[in-house]
Amino acid sequence: MQPAVESQLPIATRDGEFNARYSEKGLAGLDFPSGNKAKRTSSAAAKTVEDWHRTTTVALKQALQGKSPEFLPPLDLSAGTTFQQRVWNALRKIKPGETCSYGEIAKRIRNPQAVRAVGAACGANPIPIFVPCHRVLAANGKIGGFSCGLDVKRRLLAREGILLC
DNA sequence: ATTTACAATATGA
DNA sequence: TCATATTGTAAAT
């Protein structure tokens, strides 16, 4: 493992304190306040990181309001495999207020039969909200699952104007 | 017609 | 090999 300069900065929102992790390349992860205490590993927080954090904070707040963030920090998706990156890229393609099924995503990445893998890739998604995995529902329109808290997912969808049956 | 149960197929550790 | 944030089909009610 290379000594990645990880900086974890907390972001206070109405929904709790998020935990943003930054690598050298950009935003590497975003964790929900799942009872986990947000540690602030601001060891060598470079000026660049602070800039990212600023952008991330704004973008996150906008996203929590159901709006599509105008500016996003650089996302470091290099932690994932090729397939995962493909899935996440497809997820980001989803328009605000639109929902998608796992099957749809599978179709978009040219692997209609990889629906299962798509779900797995979503579960491995390091950056919820920015990578709108919460907009992905099951084929039935069911909410499926959510690693970071089903309740949050539900709330996010409601804020985007997506009402669940 | 609606619901429950089971198997399948792709990817990652 | 096992687990996973699904999906599609079949049978029972």
Side-chain angles (χ1 to χ4, degrees), chain A residues 3-145:
Chain A
V5 183
E6 279 191 2
S7 301
Q8 298 185 16
L9 303 191
I11 301 178
T13 67
R14 303 169 40 201
D15 295 294
E17 198 174 55
F18 284 69
N19 189 30
R21 302 181 303 176
Y22 298 94
S23 69
E24 290 186 11
K25 298 175 186 173
L27 181 63
L30 185 64
D31 295 326
F32 272 88
S34 177
N36 215 356
K37 269 195 173 179
K39 280 187 182 175
R40 188 177 56 191
T41 323
S42 59
S43 52
K47 186 179 180 181
T48 311
V49 175
E50 289 189 8
D51 187 45
W52 289 341
H53 186 58
R54 198 165 138 197
T55 307
T56 302
T57 304
V58 176
L60 178 60
K61 287 184 180 178
Q62 289 183 353
L64 288 178
Q65 291 179 2
K67 297 178 182 177
S68 181
E70 301 177 22
F71 295 105
L72 285 178
L75 303 182
D76 183 15
L77 301 178
S78 59
T81 65
T82 303
F83 188 81
Q84 288 175 335
Q85 291 184 22
R86 206 180 291 174
V87 172
W88 299 336
N89 190 38
L91 291 180
R92 290 181 52 196
K93 219 175 155 195
I94 303 179
K95 299 168 187 173
E98 291 282 316
T99 57
C100 219
S101 67
Y102 291 95
E104 283 289 314
I105 296 297
K107 270 188 179 180
R108 289 192 184 185
I109 62 175
R110 203 67 181 177
N111 286 51
Q113 293 175 308
V115 290
R116 211 54 133 86
V118 170
C122 283
N125 173 23
I127 313 176
I129 301 179
F130 286 163
V131 178
C133 51
H134 57 278
R135 292 193 192 134
V136 183
L137 309 179
N140 283 2
K142 283 199 169 184
I143 202 163

Side-chain angles (χ1 to χ4, degrees), chain A residues 139-154:
Chain A
N140 283 2
K142 283 199 169 184
I143 202 163
F146 200 61
S147 301
C148 299
L150 199 57
D151 185 47
V152 183
K153 176 175 182 179
R154 215 164 129 192

